[in-house]
Amino acid sequence: MEGHTTEMGACGYQVFKDGYGLATTALSTTLFESGAKCGSCYEVKCVNSPWCIAGSVQVTATNLCPPSTGPQAWCNAPLHHFDLTEPMFLKIGQYKAGIVPIQYRRIPCARQGGIKFQFDGNPYFNLVLVYNVGGAGDVTSMKIKGTNTNWIQMSRNWGMNWQTGVVLTAQALSFQVTISDGRTLQFDNVAPSNWQFGQTYQGNANF
């Protein structure tokens, strides 16, 4: 595990604008699972090193630590590596260490307010970024429903961006969100019929 600074990651989050801040981490290839673990939360602590600082940090996965070549290819499969923001790293390890051995575990994500849905795309291609997800944090399934449609299964495009090619303009939109522990929440009429691309709409609940 090492320290870094990031503002936007491979999950699609704008980490400061979207409320994740500095309590974030990039995951190695194995942990990232091609973006499926975006939004998951972890407790990380330094172990078995003279550079350890007692205590732990709680972070959200917002980025991929890309694979590389050479002797310090820490993010390559099959390694389990966390590339923490520098402020988080300095809570558990001394700066001069650079990389320290760790223990980690999945923990529930604590979020303020409802789940958020950011719209992008065009009238024929809807791309929805889902974020601020509590509980397990990582979304495994999303469905969308317009005023004039049945429930439509969305597919994950990249990170936590979910897509559908169904035309949904001028319809109020509802969502069903399922997270990795199997729980599902339904958000009725999250976006009004005059919703716009580039806008973010917030549900009234969270896991």
Side-chain angles (χ1 to χ4, degrees), residues 93-160:
Q94 297 181 41
Y95 180 84
K96 57 187 173 183
I99 294 175
V100 295
I102 61 163
Q103 287 181 348
Y104 74 92
R105 66 186 182 99
R106 281 285 297 270
I107 58 172
C109 300
R111 302 289 178 228
Q112 298 295 317
I115 292 175
K116 297 181 180 181
F117 305 87
Q118 178 181 304
F119 292 12
D120 201 354
N122 58 58
Y124 307 101
F125 175 73
N126 300 281
L127 191 67
V128 180
L129 172 67
V130 57
Y131 66 98
N132 197 50
V133 181
D138 48 337
V139 175
T140 57
S141 178
M142 276 244 302
K143 293 181 180 180
I144 190 170
K145 183 183 183 300
T147 308
N148 303 321
T149 75
N150 293 319
W151 285 104
I152 301 160
Q153 180 67 55
M154 305 183 80
S155 58
R156 191 162 60 84
N157 184 297
W158 65 278
M160 275 299 142

Side-chain angles (χ1 to χ4, degrees), residues 7-182:
E7 292 186 2
M8 187 172 181
C11 294
Y13 312 133
Q14 298 180 59
V15 292
F16 294 108
K17 173 180 174 291
D18 295 344
Y20 292 109
L22 291 168
T24 56
T25 186
L27 299 179
S28 61
T29 303
T30 297
L31 291 173
F32 191 68
E33 293 185 12
S34 300
K37 292 306 175 190
C38 289
S40 55
C41 296
Y42 302 84
E43 181 181 28
V44 181
K45 65 179 180 179
C46 177
V47 295
N48 302 324
S49 169
W51 309 118
C52 286
I53 295 172
S56 64
V57 292
Q58 297 184 0
V59 291
T60 301
T62 58
N63 205 351
L64 168 68
C65 182
S68 59
T69 58
Q72 295 185 333
W74 300 104
C75 293
N76 293 15
L79 299 179
H80 287 205
H81 182 80
F82 291 77
D83 192 5
L84 299 176
T85 58
E86 187 172 295
M88 293 297 103
F89 177 81
L90 294 177
K91 289 179 181 290
I92 62 169
Q94 297 181 41
Y95 180 84
K96 57 187 173 183
I99 294 175
V100 295
I102 61 163
Q103 287 181 348
Y104 74 92
R105 66 186 182 99
R106 281 285 297 270
I107 58 172
C109 300
R111 302 289 178 228
Q112 298 295 317
I115 292 175
K116 297 181 180 181
F117 305 87
Q118 178 181 304
F119 292 12
D120 201 354
N122 58 58
Y124 307 101
F125 175 73
N126 300 281
L127 191 67
V128 180
L129 172 67
V130 57
Y131 66 98
N132 197 50
V133 181
D138 48 337
V139 175
T140 57
S141 178
M142 276 244 302
K143 293 181 180 180
I144 190 170
K145 183 183 183 300
T147 308
N148 303 321
T149 75
N150 293 319
W151 285 104
I152 301 160
Q153 180 67 55
M154 305 183 80
S155 58
R156 191 162 60 84
N157 184 297
W158 65 278
M160 275 299 142
N161 285 283
W162 296 76
Q163 69 180 46
T164 178
V166 178
V167 176
L168 294 167
T169 50
Q171 300 181 59
L173 301 180
S174 303
F175 292 92
Q176 289 180 355
V177 178
T178 301
I179 55 176
S180 63
D181 64 7

Side-chain angles (χ1 to χ4, degrees), residues 177-195:
V177 178
T178 301
I179 55 176
S180 63
D181 64 7
R183 289 187 292 163
T184 299
L185 282 178
Q186 182 167 313
F187 303 88
D188 293 323
N189 301 319
V190 171
S193 60
N194 63 345
W195 64 268

